[in-house]
Amino acid sequence: MNSDTRSIPCTLRSYRYVCAALALIFLLMLVLNFLTPLVSDDYAYCFSFVDWERIESVGEIFPSMKMHREYANGRVVAHFFAQLFLLMPKAVFNVVNALVSAAIFLLMLGICGFDRPGKSLFLLVCAFMLVWYFTPDFGQVFLWLDGSCNYSWAIFFSLLFLFPYFRLYSKGETFSKVWLALPFLLVSPLAGAYSESASCAMLFMAFCFLIISRIRHGKTPAVLVLGFILACAGFLYMMTSPIEASAKAVFSPGQVLFNFNYIFMSFRYYQAGIHCIFAAVLALALMLKADREKIILALLFYAGGFVSAAVFSFSSYFPPRALCPISCYAALAIILLISAVWDKGEIKWLGVAAAVMGMLFIFELVTGVYDIARVYDQSVQREAIIAQAKAQGENHVALPAYDTLTKYSAPYGLEDVNEYSGNWVNMNMAKYYEFEYIERAD
């Protein structure tokens, strides 16, 4: 056996703790996905936007998304996935969504580099703690079916698209095998058409990577230019949907400035901590004269997060979950800076800071998991009430609203069963469970 073959299992053994940490992230997210019921918009996306009948085949999703693009929003790729998984048993989505969550952290770690097992484990744990702690409405972003398809999956597709541009920037190369370019070109238009905010930030960062790489390596590979063009085409397809175009046309400069100020206030309210951590680690990296390339890379990802939020200056709706790209990209920027500081030998202070973050994370983890389990228990009680009403031949049912405590439960902050039976959530739930109407129990 040659040395190259022997090196593969040896490398896996060296990174066994990193693999174990990724497995734990997957298992945690898998359990939490199984504990999360369908909520709010999930019931609506079980039905076609053409005739509001139950979708029963993959083929029926395409005309539904065509109508969705006309009257709801241009995110037809994200909502295609939502309607696809709502066709299947919830367990299928639970597994795939947990894999996507773990893949996000694997891609973040891949951008930082796998130069040392201990360092990689430290960076991975820090990234997960930061994202868990600082993502507003975490349950809506990573656990809610429709929300995950729109938000955490947007981060996944963006990082997947950006990875070849990062390789060009850091190594001066793109694809080790020619055939790998084909999946990249297939992903490109999907990533571009995925999310107004995440896709815009992605295109901004890809463009910056191309410019910096041209200056640094004198290279602009045709495959990456083509991928960028395809992604731009996907973004334009999304943004030129009739509903998107009409919504943007009504905005005045004053409204845009008001929205921008509201977004900035949201940074302060929801994410001041992660910005302070970034500033502190950046200052430390600069004082230590750490790796210049990693500092530039960290600043680029950090700026990308802000671009994702700035897009909402032209939107009439800005939910806290829309800040998730900033949480993820700021976390990525921080671990890039930690990696640079680590290389300068300043491990002791990083360990102290991580210990403080770890305690905060544990408090949030325990309370968050408890809240998710509470909501699951409430969902079981709801299903029992529904089953009893059906058994008795009732044409309606009264259901209690979910009682949530933290941002980690998917229903937290979402519209739920309303006192008015004609509310859109009530109507969609009634249609889903085949009742004439649903009302809220006192």
Side-chain angles (χ1 to χ4, degrees):
M1 184 182 294
N2 60 44
S3 59
D4 291 339
T5 306
R6 287 197 302 270
S7 67
I8 296 173
C10 181
T11 300
L12 289 176
R13 282 197 299 272
S14 300
Y15 284 88
R16 62 187 179 276
Y17 294 117
V18 175
C19 294
L22 281 168
L24 285 174
I25 291 172
F26 166 74
L27 290 173
L28 173 63
M29 298 304 292
L30 181 64
V31 170
L32 298 184
N33 272 279
F34 270 101
L35 292 176
T36 301
L38 298 182
V39 291
S40 195
D41 294 40
D42 291 340
Y43 295 106
Y45 282 97
C46 290
F47 304 100
S48 172
F49 279 73
V50 176
D51 53 13
W52 219 243
E53 292 300 317
R54 190 71 174 258
I55 291 179
E56 296 180 346
S57 68
V58 175
E60 293 178 7
I61 300 176
F62 293 97
S64 175
M65 286 297 97
K66 181 180 178 182
M67 194 64 66
H68 186 280
R69 187 172 182 269
E70 294 280 336
Y71 298 106
N73 59 61
R75 278 177 272 122
V76 294
V77 177
H79 288 109
F80 175 89
F81 283 124
Q83 293 205 310
L84 177 66
F85 282 110
L86 286 165
L87 263 177
M88 308 176 193
K90 175 72 162 41
V92 177
F93 171 78
N94 294 339
V95 174
V96 176
N97 196 42
L99 285 170
V100 169
S101 296
I104 288 172
F105 293 101
L106 179 60
L107 286 166
M108 291 169 70
L109 191 57
I111 289 172
C112 290
F114 292 92
D115 51 349
R116 275 170 281 180
K119 176 183 170 185
S120 295
L121 178 62
F122 185 83
L123 297 178
L124 175 61
V125 171
C126 286
F128 184 70
M129 290 193 302
L130 288 165
V131 171
W132 178 276
Y133 192 89
F134 289 109
T135 300
D137 292 344
F138 183 94
Q140 294 180 24
V141 173
F142 286 96
L143 301 175
W144 177 29
L145 192 152
D146 182 56
S148 294
C149 289
N150 276 270
Y151 294 96
S152 61
W153 285 44
I155 302 298
F156 169 70
F157 275 102
S158 295
L159 288 174
L160 204 61
F161 172 81
L162 286 170
F163 204 82
Y165 295 89
F166 155 74
R167 280 181 59 84
L168 176 65
Y169 165 83
S170 63
K171 300 181 183 299
E173 60 185 35
T174 51
F175 299 100
S176 56
K177 304 290 183 182
V178 176
W179 62 268
L180 289 172
L182 182 58
F184 164 72
L185 293 175
L186 292 174
V187 165
S188 296
L190 299 180
Y194 209 93
S195 164
E196 298 94 336
S197 58
S199 296
C200 183
M202 177 194 79
L203 292 171
F204 163 77
M205 289 185 281
F207 181 76
C208 291
F209 274 129
L210 286 173
I211 298 299
I212 297 171
S213 299
R214 180 68 182 180
I215 296 170
R216 186 180 180 192
H217 301 292
K219 293 181 179 180
T220 309
V223 66
L224 294 190
V225 174
L226 178 57
F228 183 78
I229 292 171
L230 290 173
C232 287
F235 185 74
L236 286 174
Y237 173 77
M238 173 179 59
M239 297 304 294
T240 55
S241 69
I243 190 67
E244 297 274 6
S246 62
K248 303 298 182 291
V250 301
F251 278 86
S252 64
Q255 182 67 48
V256 172
L257 287 174
F258 175 85
N259 289 350
F260 184 83
N261 181 63
Y262 178 79
I263 292 166
F264 192 82
M265 291 172 63
S266 298
F267 294 159
R268 185 180 64 178
Y269 181 80
Y270 291 104
Q271 296 178 311
I274 199 168
H275 297 300
C276 290
I277 293 171
F278 172 80
V281 184
L282 175 61
L284 182 59
L286 291 172
M287 287 188 291
L288 292 171
K289 298 182 179 178
D291 185 352
R292 178 171 165 268
E293 302 303 331
K294 285 187 177 178
I295 293 174
I296 293 173
L297 192 59
L299 289 170
L300 177 55
F301 279 109
Y302 187 69
F306 276 91
V307 170
S308 73
V311 173
F312 283 93
S313 297
F314 300 91
S315 174
S316 58
Y317 181 53
F318 182 67
R321 60 180 176 266
L323 291 169
C324 71
I326 293 184
S327 301
C328 292
Y329 290 135
L332 176 53
I334 288 168
I335 64 172
L336 279 163
L337 293 171
I338 289 174
S339 175
V341 171
W342 183 298
D343 292 341
K344 300 297 289 186
E346 295 293 328
I347 302 174
K348 179 171 62 177
W349 293 112
L350 292 176
V352 171
V356 174
M357 187 70 229
M359 288 305 298
L360 295 173
F361 165 73
I362 289 170
F363 292 141
E364 289 290 286
L365 178 68
V366 172
T367 55
V369 172
Y370 169 71
D371 191 30
I372 293 167
R374 283 180 67 256
V375 170
Y376 173 74
D377 185 59
Q378 293 171 42
S379 72
V380 171
Q381 293 176 33
R382 267 194 184 184
E383 293 296 331
I385 294 170
I386 290 168
Q388 183 179 12
K390 283 187 171 293
Q392 295 175 350
E394 301 285 349
N395 67 349
H396 72 282
V397 66
L399 298 175
Y402 284 128
D403 173 32
T404 60
L405 300 174
T406 70
K407 66 178 183 177
Y408 297 100
S409 292
Y412 181 83
L414 291 177
E415 283 199 65
D416 194 19
V417 182
N418 196 278
E419 293 177 353
Y420 171 52
S421 61
N423 176 269
W424 67 275
V425 176
N426 297 50
M427 293 175 66
N428 289 324
M429 288 182 66
K431 191 171 182 65
Y432 179 85
Y433 287 109
E434 298 179 334
F435 288 109
E436 287 187 16
Y437 65 93
I438 285 178
E439 56 189 356
R440 190 167 77 187
D442 294 331

